[in-house]
Amino acid sequence: MSGADMPRAAEEREVADTAPVARIPLQRFGATYWIALSASAAGVVLLGVTVATLLRFGTGVWGTNVPHVWGFDLINYVWWIGIANAASLLAVVLVLRRHGLRTAVNRFAEAAALAAVVAAGLYPILHLGRPWLFFWVFPYPATYQVWPQFRSTLIWDFWGITAHVLVTGLFWYIGLIPDLATMRDRAARQGRLVVARLYGVFALGWRGSVCHWSRHQAAYRLVAALLLPLLLAAQTVVALEFATTLVPDWHQARLPLHVVVTGLPSGLGLVLALAAMLRRTLGLHAFIDAGDMDLLSRLTAAASLASLWIYAEGLLFGLVLEDAVAREAMLVRVTGTYAAYYWAGLLLTAILPQLLWSRRIGLSTATAVPLGLCAAAGAWFDRYSIVVAGIERTNLPVARPLYVPSDAEWMLLLGTGGLFVLLLLLFARLVPVVSMYETRHEEAESEAA
Amino acid sequence: MTQPAGMIAEFADAEEMLAALRAARKAGWRRLDAYAPYPVPEAAELLAVRGWPVAAITVAAGLAGAVLQYGTQYYLNVVDYPINVGGRPLHAWPVFLPATYIVAVLWAAIAALVGMLVLNRLPRLHHPVFAAPGFDRASEDRFFLCLFVDEPGFDAAHAEHLLRGFDALRISPVPAA
Amino acid sequence: MSGSHPGRREILRLSAASLALAAAGCDEPTEFGQPLYAPPRGEVQDAATYATVLDLQGLGRGMLVRTRAGHAVKVDGNALHPASLGATDVFAEAAVLSLHDPARARRLREGGWTRAPAALDATLAAARAELAARNGAGLHVVTGPIASPTTARLLATLLAAWPGARWQQYDPLAEDAALAGAELAFGTPVATWPDLARAQVVLALGADPLGPGPAQLHLARNWALARAEGRGRGVLPSLIVAEASPTLSGAKADRHILLHPREIEPFGRAVAAALGVPGLQGAASHPEAEAVAAALRRAGPAAVMLAGRAEAPGLHALAHAVNAALGSEVVHHAAPALARPAPMGPAALRPLVQAMANGAATHVLLLGVNPVYDVPAELGFAPALARVPFSLHAGLYPDETARLCTWQVPLSHELESWGDSRAFDGTAAIRQPATRPLVGAARTVDELLAALLGAEERALPLVQATWREAWGAAFEEGWRAALEAGVIPGSAAPRLHLPLRPGWDPGPARQSQAGLVAVFTPDPCTLDGRFAENAWLQELPRPLTKIAWGNAVLLAPSTAAEYGMSAGDEVVIERAGRRVLAPVWPVPWHAPGCITLPLGGGRIASTEVGLGRGLDAQILRDPDTPWTGEHVTMAPTGRHARVIASQLERDFDGPAAARIVAPGEGFAPPAPAPSLYPDWKYEGHAWGMAIDLDTCIGCNACVVACQSENNIPVVGPEQMAMGRRMHWLRVDIYRHGVSAIFQPVPCMHCEKAPCEVVCPVNATVHDHEGLNVMVYPRCIGTRTCSNNCPYKVRRFNWYDYARDETPVKVRNPDVPIRPRGVMEKCTYCQHRIAAARSEARMEDRPIRDGEVETACQRACPTRAIVFGDVNDPDTAVARAKRAERNYALLGELDTRPRTTYLARVQAGR
Amino acid sequence: MPQIFSPRADGRFRLTLLLLVAGLLGAALLAYALARSDRAWAIGQPAPQPIPFSHALHAGNIGLDCRYCHAQVERSGNAGMPSAALCLGCHQQVWMGASILAPLHDSIELGDPIAWASVHRLPGHARFHHGVHVQAGVDCATCHGAVQTMPRTVKVHSMSMGWCLECHRAAAAMVPTANRAPDELGPLGLWHGGVELPPLTRCSTCHR
């Protein structure tokens, strides 16, 4: 029996080196990071103040009225959900297709989805007239023995958003477990025992057993497979909240498809912008390579093309083929008081991102980031057009007071934006931004092939 | 020196580790485990571990969630407190389905994580192999095969002998916990 | 927040005004509707109803006041009273708010200092002594129009005692020209009104029989009766209205002729000429005159011609002559109900202003009038009043006049005081208090006059004295009967049949032929500004303009286009060197080439409710021709001013919403739409409503009745402008040629209610009688139901409109107030249904048809709203819904509304 | 490489997870119990009253009928409270000088009602009609308990909506058939899709 304690050195590196990724959370961050973090934290404080004001004075602080009972609350909600959906969808499809791009973008696409869905999840509660009673949509045994009304699209949405947050979180976390183990081991090697234990607790004692891997992969792909239809369902349910009403411009079978498809460039654009920024600021060129960036920009451009088709189809159906009332409603939406929002949405989500077909534009941070963010902003304009301009033509020619968003609503948007950025910054600081085990795995597989 | 929990061999390469694993299985070794920084399905196959039980748990939980949600909706809106809502029937099954479906997915997804953890006997923060020298690289770039020696007829020397036959970077005993 | 936030404090103050209750001003902390608080003595009375009478322009409308635990809750019409016939107008409905207004004058003041009540008596005694010495010379009493027998008796006593004293009636809305016209035609001032129930053809020249006024309820009811009878026969009575400024009558006209104010008299003369009226001095011609004359001639005794208050006396005389020539049995003449039928318009105040200015008037009593605001500026009333050594003002509010008087006396509200009154037809009624006085220091006009005379000074004995004199031994019996019925039977003035004077026609009035003409009209909600402090009336969208919380210069769209202006553009209007700034508001029913300046705006009122709120037309008014202003100029300033309107002109077209049929025509019953689901069966009662668009005159009484009954909060101008009104019932207006269709829209109580399905928490559901109920405590405020309501009848509590910092007090304790963040809407007065159900159950019988009346239905002067059980084929509502012209609003959506509409009927379609 | 976690860490970690889940469940159970506790509904808690009136004395010992004081209970929505004059009808003879009865005299003097504090107050959005319930044969004690044994009046039932529903769902069993209203007689409720809807549980029965 000989204790062969001294290892024999391996001749060459057999496994892809993911150390640059693992090093990021364990290193010091510069002033820029802290400034960004403070700014986004200030946004969250603003959100807190806005929410406190809202709770104190009521929904009257918004610019909403009858018939515009929904304003920024639903616009922002649908927008954030769209971003979350598209980002999640990308991650899920990449996992299910075992696509090479997954190593590069999955982790932060999932993180962005999670942050967006958290930001979105605030709105269904805050938009209520009495937000503190939001739990009444949950069937719990109350002393008054009244139950939720399960035929409501809002109940679907309650479960939808709950499931969306939880399953997106699960998907992200399951993928994160092995990487947390890597972080644990690296921290331990550096002698940072507290950090190691923290990572260790969240890694749940992952030790890389091939048996564990087998079940882990099964679970990961199962959740991905479950998430795919859930995303479509959740987004559809949100759209159904509009489509099942009797509002002429909303009561359209094509609305769910429109919402799903125009959501895609917003999420993909955001992922593209994040990829470009992470790549540049964290020096991850090796992990998010030019090929990844190119693929991602072309995906965004493709989603944008799909949106263009959806817009064209909407115009064709809405202005030509539908019945008179729906035609008039559509006409009002594209030419009425809020027409600018419609066309801004069309321009920003469906036309400008077409530039990303160009490799040069897609690969340059200076162009990819603004174009990606434009696509995301465009979806916001589109949601504005749907939520506000969609009811400019109601069934009866009743009073149509203007909807003018109030300061409180702008602050709410800013606040959830701050929350989103804060969550992403914390993510970049605390966990590996690229899936390390997938990188290794993919490299090993490509070598084998 | 107390009896170690097992002998562990470190490899730079999955193929080496697989070869050793195959040999150990052939030698009738039953208490053994392999560790890798990424999934190595062949190794799991050799250890006769499949992913489908996770899928089974997931599907079962999803079905249970669906039944529970549909049942809840039916019971509460049709039986316990039936109310005429907008002239729709009490048992308006088409509109009960979306939530049923979504909740089924929620249950299934949670069950996938929980089932995976339970089948893997996780969380387990402390495990003897963690004490093996150089095991920290199992999560980065090394492959390990550990032969446990807590069964009669399988001892450390036997294990070391078996492992010696392969291109291990290092063979060390795993300290007993 | 800065956008909407400043409004909040205002809201709180406004709702304080509109929701503060009886208790405000009382000493005791009586909580409203608190079932545990029994009166110290006697039987507990939950609810009681008192018959009383409310005055408008001095003429009474008999009302029933419902009280709860001693507090006046709601005003309903008294079916026995000829000026109500069971209905109410907006002013009567809103009286209960004025009664409870914490901003009412509460203290007796002398020069701004609060005085004890005894101080007034002492002062009046001193004045009495001083005046008695000179036979009353120097005393001027100014009152509104007086029809009250008691007030008239007291004034007569005063004038008899002091021949030197002067009594002047003053009413900014006085119809002096009608009196003068009657003098021309008959040599005596008679009151004239049409018996519209018998009319086949009515020609109204600038007259507005269906519009607000002391006889509105009577006239509107009879018009509706004639119309119902005509629909049955298939020959509709014809209302022909020739006017410049739009009125409710014009909106309901079967033939609406838009005429420039200068064309109205010539048109009348042309019609008279075509009819060959004898004694006509100057004829004129008009292309439509011949056809109109032919219609009048055909109807003969069933025809009538009416002239409006803005027309010259000659035209009134001409109307009398035409009616005489036609042998009209529709027109009704009687001795005026007013104690002294004499001119009482602004010009009648000239002698008083002179006397005040030259010091001849030493004691001026201004009782229940506000001339400092509502006398045309040209007359110089305010500066003259300031020179009077002793001036006393009695008013409900510390208004503009009060501020200039040496003594300010709070006036008792009609709902808390004794008195009497006569209706337009002379029918007398006793006013009894429905609640104990809420303002301790307040006095009635009668009490003040009595105090001046040194006589008995409480109101009750004063009124009793009047009627004891009239009834003698039968007093006790008569008094009790009068209080119970709310009307004194047989007291109406007898119908007079007067011969026409031969020289009735003074010839065509002299009219200038150039320049813009301004028409002055009373505001449909605040009249001449007297109701400007009433938040319900301020927030009520005016019937034809839909403007709330203010007014604007009304004109024809073509006139606006001529000036290159659109709605809301500000103009400066100038006449005789005086100018006002105001936004313009094009109205499709307006005659081109002239403008309308509504009265009642721009008040320097004592409360935020009435302060400002539009232009003050009194500045431009000519006291001698108070209803038309010649030589007016209008120039755009280039600025834009905010006008708060609940419906814009661009939304006046809705052919599918407000439908029209020819007589006898109807709609095919809608084919049942294919449905995935079986229908629910409603056994037992199934409540439903039918609203007749043919008889709805858009008077808004239903809206205020609903507000009063259901504790609907006032939201204030800021919130109103944002589109957050709370009225459960709104009246939409639709353009139809040159006339209009009013469509009251409450909750439709759809059987397939789209709102209910989307509520996640079962907060809005159906009950087994088909009501779409809203469960406020369960509502979490997703507002999805409002989104899914195609009729947009749901209202949301964006702020805590109904509450104040002070403990919440409810006016109608049967209806809960709604907290912030919940949806609310019309309930079909569900609390009344429940009360009837409890009543019926205890008496072990079914609910009878008509036992449940919704507040809007009860208020409606034309009974356009019918409510009841649609399952029972014998109910009025079931009969109405069987009519062929019954249709569902937005029926194509297949929401199966329980509220349906009966289409407007129009001949020649 | 040294172990990061000691062997006992696993136990602790799993215990923590277990406690977390148990804590959540426990909190839910606690909330469930508290929402139904007597304290939450003020059961058994007398309210401060201007006069320490004892139902035990008046209704129990003396044996006054409920309707002697609550005269409207059979006809009206409110049960009706005795006027001060009614109280003094007896108390002019009995206990007339007692200082605790001073509020009665004050009430007569000032014309103000006596400000009793409500023990059974329902929220504003609920409608309750005493007359209908009494005429349907519901005994006073069904809701108010054995008032004749209470020296100080207290609530014995929660008067929560769920509590109301308990009777309204089982009205058929509780109310003698003869007393039932016509629309509840035939098919006691409304049938839809094979499901019975008792009309007494519709929202508009109790909510306004």
Side-chain angles (χ1 to χ4, degrees), chain C residues 612-897:
Chain C
R613 310 293 172 218
L615 68 105
D616 181 3
Q618 297 291 357
I619 294 172
L620 301 180
R621 221 172 162 199
D622 179 348
D624 295 307
T625 56
W627 299 104
T628 33
E630 297 276 356
H631 309 298
V632 175
T633 61
M634 174 169 76
T637 62
R639 286 189 297 264
H640 200 79
R642 184 178 77 169
V643 179
I644 300 166
S646 67
Q647 197 182 353
L648 301 181
E649 198 215 325
R650 61 177 186 184
D651 298 326
F652 281 0
D653 294 303
R659 299 209 198 161
I660 297 171
V661 292
E665 233 180 47
F667 307 108
S675 171
L676 204 57
Y677 303 127
D679 288 344
W680 281 69
K681 296 270 176 295
Y682 293 94
E683 289 153 15
H685 300 292
W687 304 110
M689 183 181 272
I691 301 178
D692 191 345
L693 300 185
D694 195 46
T695 43
C696 173
I697 57 168
C699 70
N700 272 339
C702 49
V703 180
V704 189
C706 177
Q707 185 154 29
S708 170
E709 176 74 13
N710 292 303
N711 303 327
I712 296 172
V714 169
V715 298
E718 302 301 328
Q719 296 289 302
M720 187 85 180
M722 285 182 80
R724 292 175 175 179
R725 66 190 289 207
M726 295 302 281
H727 296 132
W728 286 0
L729 172 63
R730 65 167 195 267
V731 182
D732 287 344
I733 187 168
Y734 293 104
R735 179 186 2 229
H736 171 62
V738 281
S739 63
I741 306 180
F742 299 103
Q743 185 170 43
V745 187
C747 173
M748 298 285 134
H749 291 269
C750 311
E751 285 187 6
K752 297 200 171 226
C755 51
E756 293 177 3
V757 201
V758 293
C759 177
V761 291
N762 268 329
T764 181
V765 297
H766 249 64
D767 82 349
H768 74 307
E769 292 175 340
L771 295 190
N772 170 237
V773 294
M774 182 70 221
V775 191
Y776 313 122
R778 179 65 177 167
C779 178
I780 56 175
T782 71
R783 311 189 287 290
T784 320
C785 49
S786 170
N787 246 341
N788 211 16
C789 173
Y791 309 99
K792 292 286 170 271
V793 292
R794 290 179 158 261
R795 302 282 173 258
F796 188 67
N797 288 275
W798 303 97
Y799 283 123
D800 219 346
Y801 295 126
R803 287 174 211 253
D804 198 10
E805 285 92 356
T806 52
V808 176
K809 285 147 185 168
V810 191
R811 279 191 307 283
N812 184 355
D814 290 340
V815 180
I817 68 159
R818 283 74 61 183
R820 188 187 96 199
V822 310
M823 203 46 92
E824 60 182 71
K825 62 159 195 82
C826 157
T827 64
Y828 268 174
C829 285
Q830 187 237 132
H831 56 285
R832 293 189 177 192
I833 299 175
R837 189 190 295 135
S838 298
E839 200 71 20
R841 183 160 301 179
M842 288 201 303
E843 291 168 20
D844 202 16
R845 57 165 176 83
I847 301 175
R848 289 183 287 260
D849 185 31
E851 191 174 347
V852 184
E853 273 189 312
T854 62
C856 51
Q857 173 189 22
R858 183 83 169 84
C860 182
T862 59
R863 313 227 172 139
I865 301 176
V866 202
F867 177 81
D869 182 358
V870 294
N871 265 1
D872 179 352
D874 298 327
T875 57
V877 68
R879 279 196 301 276
K881 281 176 184 273
R882 277 199 299 274
E884 287 197 317
R885 58 194 180 98
N886 177 58
Y887 73 96
L889 184 57
L890 296 177
E892 66 276 14
L893 298 178
D894 197 35
T895 54
R896 314 263 176 94

Side-chain angles (χ1 to χ4, degrees), chain C residues 419-477:
Chain C
D420 53 12
S421 179
R422 282 190 188 278
F424 71 98
D425 67 348
T427 303
I430 307 292
R431 172 179 308 123
Q432 60 177 328
T435 172
R436 62 181 150 176
L438 302 183
V439 175
R443 315 248 180 138
T444 66
V445 169
D446 296 350
E447 285 169 343
L448 285 168
L449 290 173
L452 186 63
L453 285 165
E456 174 77 64
E457 61 168 40
R458 298 311 301 172
L460 175 59
L462 289 173
V463 179
Q464 283 179 327
T466 310
W467 293 96
R468 191 167 275 125
E469 205 175 292
W471 290 331
F475 171 74
E476 287 299 335
E477 195 187 322

Side-chain angles (χ1 to χ4, degrees), chain C residues 155-182:
Chain C
L155 283 165
T157 315
L158 184 123
L159 294 177
W162 295 334
R166 291 284 168 271
W167 166 40
Q168 178 61 50
Q169 297 175 94
Y170 166 62
D171 180 9
L173 306 179
E175 307 202 8
D176 288 352
L179 280 184

